[in-house]
Amino acid sequence: MLPRLRHFLHERFVRWALRVPTPEPTPITLVQRRVYVLPTRVGLAFAVALITIFLGAVNYNLSLGHALVFWLAGLGIVTILHTFRNLVQLTLRPGRCPPVFAGDLASFDLLLENTRRDARINMQLSFSGEPPVEIDLPAHTTNTATLTLPATQRGWLALPRVTVETTWPLGLIRAWSYIAPDMRCLVYPAPARNAPPLPWNSEAFQGASNVGQGADDFAGLRHHQPADPPRHVAWKAAARQDDGKLQTKLFSGQSAQELWLDWDAAPSALTTEQRIACLTRWLLDADTAGMHWGLRLPSVRLAPAQGAAHRAAGLQALALYALPAASRAHGTP
């Protein structure tokens, strides 16, 4: 009961402390009203020590004791100012957020800009429950802090609320603020580990391109890839080699094959997520083999093509397929 109440009160305070609807527009500048200051445990111990020394100095009428207390109290007050200034007026912008596969770590780059003539020392950025990322900012510079988060399922992964804090210079005072920038990472589905072989049938395998997988003119050999069609394997060359490594024959001309990766070509016993994982494996294998491939889903169709952009479009279509409309709000193909 007590942890729930504590969590509820903390979330209410964070929503109040953000002072803007989330996700908030960028760039984000930590103005004075968004930076909060409280003593750390070390700071509280320091205050108790000061009170004890002060009472002893008063009781025994020690002039040096009074001087020591006032000097240390002044040091503490100056520390509050320096800790607060280390964070206030800091500007943050969203950076790169490359797509990842489910099961990997998603990386969110945050650009921190220091427009002051003083350096900002030992700032920390963290999610709730994750280890913080420490960063220093020299004067008039911009630096990048990379936060990582496990990507557990396909779709868009939003950047959680980030806490920016510092205890510099003496660790007596903690200054912190919250930010919630609009950043999302596209998480591709994880490819199936034991997917069936590529669908080499007449409906999925058609001729029409000219990029080295054709059957007109022999153009050379390369290392065999699991996605290569069996009829293009150089069996005679493999038989002549001692190590028995397979090689694939390359052709040039106007009749290179196109491979269709069809939703219905996956085994019917698979669930929706298993089919998506199977198609992801087929897509990666076909792309690695340098083939022209197309993708047919019940509501998405990508014409056969080749290259990094086509690979990204296919993986995005699989990542967002059959997700709720709200989850596909960022760039559904």
Side-chain angles (χ1 to χ4, degrees):
M1 183 63 184
L2 187 58
R4 287 187 177 183
L5 178 61
R6 182 180 179 183
H7 177 74
F8 172 77
L9 294 176
H10 178 70
E11 289 300 318
R12 290 293 299 269
F13 170 76
V14 170
R15 283 198 293 270
W16 171 82
L18 275 170
R19 298 179 181 273
V20 292
T22 58
E24 56 184 315
T26 55
I28 301 171
T29 300
L30 302 182
V31 296
Q32 295 181 1
R33 59 198 297 266
R34 290 187 58 168
V35 178
Y36 305 92
V37 173
L38 277 179
T40 62
R41 293 183 179 179
V42 177
L44 292 174
F46 178 77
V48 171
L50 281 185
I51 295 173
T52 304
I53 296 174
F54 177 74
L55 293 177
V58 170
N59 187 44
Y60 294 101
N61 195 21
L62 297 176
S63 300
L64 289 178
H66 286 88
L68 178 63
V69 168
F70 292 130
W71 183 78
L72 291 177
L75 180 65
I77 293 174
V78 172
T79 299
I80 296 175
L81 176 63
H82 280 278
T83 305
F84 180 77
R85 290 188 72 248
N86 199 38
L87 210 60
V88 75
Q89 295 300 323
L90 176 68
T91 300
L92 300 101
R93 306 174 189 275
R96 294 180 66 251
C97 187
V100 297
F101 287 93
D104 296 338
L105 286 177
S107 298
F108 298 88
D109 287 348
L110 281 174
L111 306 179
L112 283 74
E113 181 181 5
N114 181 17
T115 58
R116 288 175 21 192
R117 60 182 180 181
D118 301 325
R120 299 178 187 269
I121 309 298
N122 194 24
M123 292 182 296
Q124 298 181 343
L125 293 87
S126 63
F127 303 131
S128 176
E130 296 293 331
V133 175
E134 297 185 0
I135 187 170
D136 296 335
L137 272 181
H140 300 293
T141 59
T142 299
N143 208 343
T144 302
T146 301
L147 302 174
T148 58
L149 189 67
T152 57
Q153 59 183 11
R154 65 185 177 92
W156 290 106
L157 176 63
L159 175 68
R161 181 181 65 235
V162 178
T163 302
V164 187
E165 61 182 320
T166 181
T167 58
W168 185 84
L170 298 181
L172 301 178
I173 303 297
R174 174 181 179 248
W176 81 97
S177 183
Y178 302 107
I179 61 171
D182 188 8
M183 291 184 67
R184 295 191 179 192
C185 175
L186 181 59
V187 181
Y188 298 148
R193 294 184 177 180
N194 299 310
L198 284 171
W200 300 111
N201 55 56
S202 57
E203 294 182 356
F205 201 42
Q206 301 171 2
S209 180
N210 59 350
V211 288
Q213 291 289 328
D216 283 353
D217 302 319
F218 178 72
L221 296 172
R222 64 166 169 77
H223 294 298
H224 180 70
Q225 302 289 336
D228 293 338
R231 63 176 179 168
H232 283 181
V233 175
W235 298 109
K236 293 182 180 179
R240 289 194 295 268
Q241 295 181 357
D242 296 335
D243 54 5
K245 290 184 178 179
L246 298 181
Q247 291 183 308
T248 298
K249 293 182 284 187
L250 297 177
F251 298 90
S252 60
Q254 296 298 319
S255 59
Q257 293 90 348
E258 293 177 347
L259 177 67
W260 277 100
L261 307 178
D262 200 318
W263 178 267
D264 295 329
S268 58
L270 299 181
T271 64
T272 297
E273 293 300 324
Q274 289 172 337
R275 285 194 180 208
I276 291 174
C278 177
L279 286 167
T280 303
R281 170 53 62 196
W282 286 354
L283 186 157
L284 295 177
D285 289 347
D287 184 75
T288 302
M291 303 177 62
H292 271 211
W293 55 267
L295 180 64
R296 277 196 293 245
L297 303 178
S299 59
V300 179
R301 183 181 185 277
L302 292 179
Q306 188 188 35
H310 188 58
R311 176 180 181 272
L315 289 173
Q316 179 170 341
L318 291 170
L320 303 179
Y321 178 71
L323 292 180
S327 301
R328 295 184 279 111
H330 282 238
T332 305

